[in-house]
Amino acid sequence: MERLNRTCLHSLATHLILAIAVTSGGAAFASDELPPGHPPIHLPEGAESPSTGLGLGAGIRLHGRFDVAYERHSYSDDLTEGLDAFRNYHRFLFVERHTKDDPFYFNAEVLGLNFYEMGFRLKGGEELPWRLGMSAGKVLVPFGADPLFHHAYGGRVGADQRFLPVVWGEFGLKANLELDLGRAGLRIEAYSVRGYALRDAEGQLNLQTNAAPLDDLNFAFGGRISASYGPATIHYSIYGSNLDHGRALLMQGLDIGLWRLPLPVLEDFALTAGVIRADVFGGESASYYHFADYLQLRYYPLDCLYLQYRAGLDMRDNRQGVFADADRLDKFDTVAHSVAIGYVRGNFSLVVSHLWQLELVDEQDDDFFRVTAAYEF
C-alpha cells in the first residue's frame, strides 16, 4: 500500500481521488468528514490527513486529479533509440456526499464512470468503536493493498500494470466492518461482483479484459482482511469466480508494508511488498496459474522528496511450480525494474522515472523513461 510521509502525501493521488476513510496512528476509523465504504489508508503517527476537496454545499464535495507526462518509449536499454510522446494518464473528477448526520452516502467518478456507488453506514459508541458500511453500484473491488489503480503486481504500477484492471470497478455489492483496537486497526470486507468469463475452454484468462458480459453474468465472491499496528500493515485478499466451460478461478493476494520505523536510519525508509496468484482449474483442460509479485523501497532524504526502487515478476500460464514454470517461458513472462525520484509540494507533484521491462524469452522494445507532473485536489 502506498504510504504517506510526515508532512506531505507520498501517494496523494489515491487518497484525494477516492476521499477514502482514513485511519490515524493505528485507529480504525475515519474522520466523519470522509466517506466510508473503502479499504483503510493508514496514516502513521505524525502524518497529515489528505485534503477533503472542494465543498459544493449540501454536504457534496469535489475531488480530482489531472496530469501530463513526457515519455521516451519503445526501446530496450538504449534511450537514444526510443520514440517521444506526451501522455495523459489521470483525468479523474470525483463527487461524493457524506455527512456525519446522514447514514447514507454516495461516491462517483464522473468523467470516465470508473466507479459509482451508494451506501449507508452504522457506527458504535465510544466503549466499543466499530463501523459497518454497505454499498451497491459499480463498486471498487477491495483486492490488494490499493483500491484504485496503484496495484504494483509485476513491478509495474498505475496505468502501466498488466495483471489486474487499471481501475477495478465492477457492478455488485460490498460490505465492510472496521474495528478500533487502539494502536491497532482491523477491517474485514466481503463482496459479490460481476466476475470473469472465458470465450472457450482452451482460452487463457486475461484478468484485465475478460469480464463476463452483462447479459450473461458470472458472479464472483471475495473478501479482504486488513490489519495494522503502528507503522506496519498487512492485507490478505481472496477472490473466486466461475468462468464457464466447467472452469473456475481462485485468486489470492498478500501485501505487507512498513512505514518509516521510529529507529535510526529506518525512519527514512518505507517498504511495501506483495504477491498474487490466480489459479484456473476445472473442466477437461489442463489447470494453470498466473503469478506476480513486487517489492518497493522508498527513501526520504527530505520530507517531500523520495527516491524509489521497485521490482517484480509477472509469470503467465504456468502448469508446475509455485511461482514459475521453467518449461513454459515466453515473452509474456517478465521481470520489471524501475527507479524514480518524486517531489510533492502541496497539491502538486513531479516524478521522474525509468522502467526496464525484461522478457525472459524474446526481449521486446518496451522500456521507458517518463517525467510526470500532476495536480490534485
Side-chain angles (χ1 to χ4, degrees), residues 53-70:
L54 301 177
L56 303 180
I60 299 175
R61 305 198 72 83
L62 186 68
H63 308 264
R65 174 179 169 89
F66 303 90
D67 70 16
V68 62
Y70 161 76

Side-chain angles (χ1 to χ4, degrees), residues 95-148:
V95 175
E96 57 93 4
R97 184 182 185 275
H98 166 68
T99 63
K100 61 183 179 181
D101 299 322
D102 187 350
F104 295 93
Y105 67 91
F106 74 82
N107 303 309
E109 195 281 304
V110 296
L111 294 183
L113 298 180
N114 291 291
F115 73 88
Y116 39 89
E117 61 183 10
M118 55 185 174
F120 74 93
R121 82 278 187 261
L122 303 171
K123 59 182 179 180
E126 295 182 359
E127 294 185 359
L128 184 61
W130 55 269
R131 173 173 289 181
L132 174 67
M134 299 190 69
S135 59
K138 190 176 183 181
V139 301
L140 292 170
V141 178
F143 193 102
D146 192 293
L148 187 55

Side-chain angles (χ1 to χ4, degrees), residues 77-91:
D77 292 329
D78 189 352
L79 189 67
T80 63
E81 296 182 354
L83 302 175
D84 293 313
F86 280 103
R87 312 278 194 192
N88 170 229
Y89 290 105
H90 302 88
R91 44 188 181 275

Side-chain angles (χ1 to χ4, degrees), residues 15-253:
H15 311 304
L16 296 183
I17 289 173
L18 294 179
I20 300 173
V22 175
T23 56
S24 181
F29 298 118
S31 160
D32 282 330
E33 297 305 316
L34 295 174
H38 297 292
I41 291 178
H42 296 269
L43 299 181
E45 295 179 8
E48 293 184 350
S49 297
S51 164
T52 55
L54 301 177
L56 303 180
I60 299 175
R61 305 198 72 83
L62 186 68
H63 308 264
R65 174 179 169 89
F66 303 90
D67 70 16
V68 62
Y70 161 76
E71 287 185 2
R72 187 77 173 166
H73 65 96
S74 299
Y75 62 90
S76 181
D77 292 329
D78 189 352
L79 189 67
T80 63
E81 296 182 354
L83 302 175
D84 293 313
F86 280 103
R87 312 278 194 192
N88 170 229
Y89 290 105
H90 302 88
R91 44 188 181 275
F92 297 142
L93 196 61
F94 303 86
V95 175
E96 57 93 4
R97 184 182 185 275
H98 166 68
T99 63
K100 61 183 179 181
D101 299 322
D102 187 350
F104 295 93
Y105 67 91
F106 74 82
N107 303 309
E109 195 281 304
V110 296
L111 294 183
L113 298 180
N114 291 291
F115 73 88
Y116 39 89
E117 61 183 10
M118 55 185 174
F120 74 93
R121 82 278 187 261
L122 303 171
K123 59 182 179 180
E126 295 182 359
E127 294 185 359
L128 184 61
W130 55 269
R131 173 173 289 181
L132 174 67
M134 299 190 69
S135 59
K138 190 176 183 181
V139 301
L140 292 170
V141 178
F143 193 102
D146 192 293
L148 187 55
F149 56 86
H150 284 134
H151 296 105
Y153 301 120
R156 300 169 65 107
V157 72
D160 300 318
Q161 67 174 307
R162 298 178 174 181
F163 203 92
L164 293 178
V166 174
V167 180
W168 199 0
E170 276 298 352
F171 298 100
L173 304 171
K174 184 170 62 175
N176 63 82
L177 174 66
E178 296 181 31
L179 302 175
D180 185 353
L181 306 173
R183 278 182 55 82
L186 179 66
R187 184 182 183 95
I188 302 171
E189 297 163 282
Y191 56 88
S192 175
V193 296
R194 176 176 65 159
Y196 290 96
L198 288 173
R199 295 180 178 87
D200 60 79
E202 300 296 329
Q204 290 293 313
L205 176 65
N206 186 322
L207 292 166
Q208 289 193 319
T209 62
N210 289 155
L214 293 178
D215 59 354
D216 187 18
L217 286 176
N218 287 331
F219 290 101
F221 300 90
R224 180 174 65 172
I225 298 176
S226 304
S228 70
Y229 185 82
T233 61
I234 185 169
H235 306 269
Y236 170 71
S237 309
I238 188 169
Y239 176 102
S241 173
N242 175 44
L243 300 176
D244 297 328
H245 309 289
R247 314 227 73 188
L249 165 68
L250 177 63
M251 184 163 58
Q252 299 181 79

Side-chain angles (χ1 to χ4, degrees), residues 201-205 247 277-281 284-291 315-330 333:
E202 300 296 329
Q204 290 293 313
L205 176 65
R247 314 227 73 188
R277 175 165 161 156
D279 285 86
V280 176
F281 55 91
E284 298 180 358
S285 302
S287 299
Y288 63 90
Y289 68 91
H290 302 324
F291 175 91
M315 311 298 291
R316 305 298 178 98
D317 189 21
N318 303 287
R319 304 292 173 86
Q320 302 178 35
V322 176
F323 63 88
D325 186 343
D327 296 330
R328 299 180 61 82
L329 298 180
D330 58 26
D333 299 308

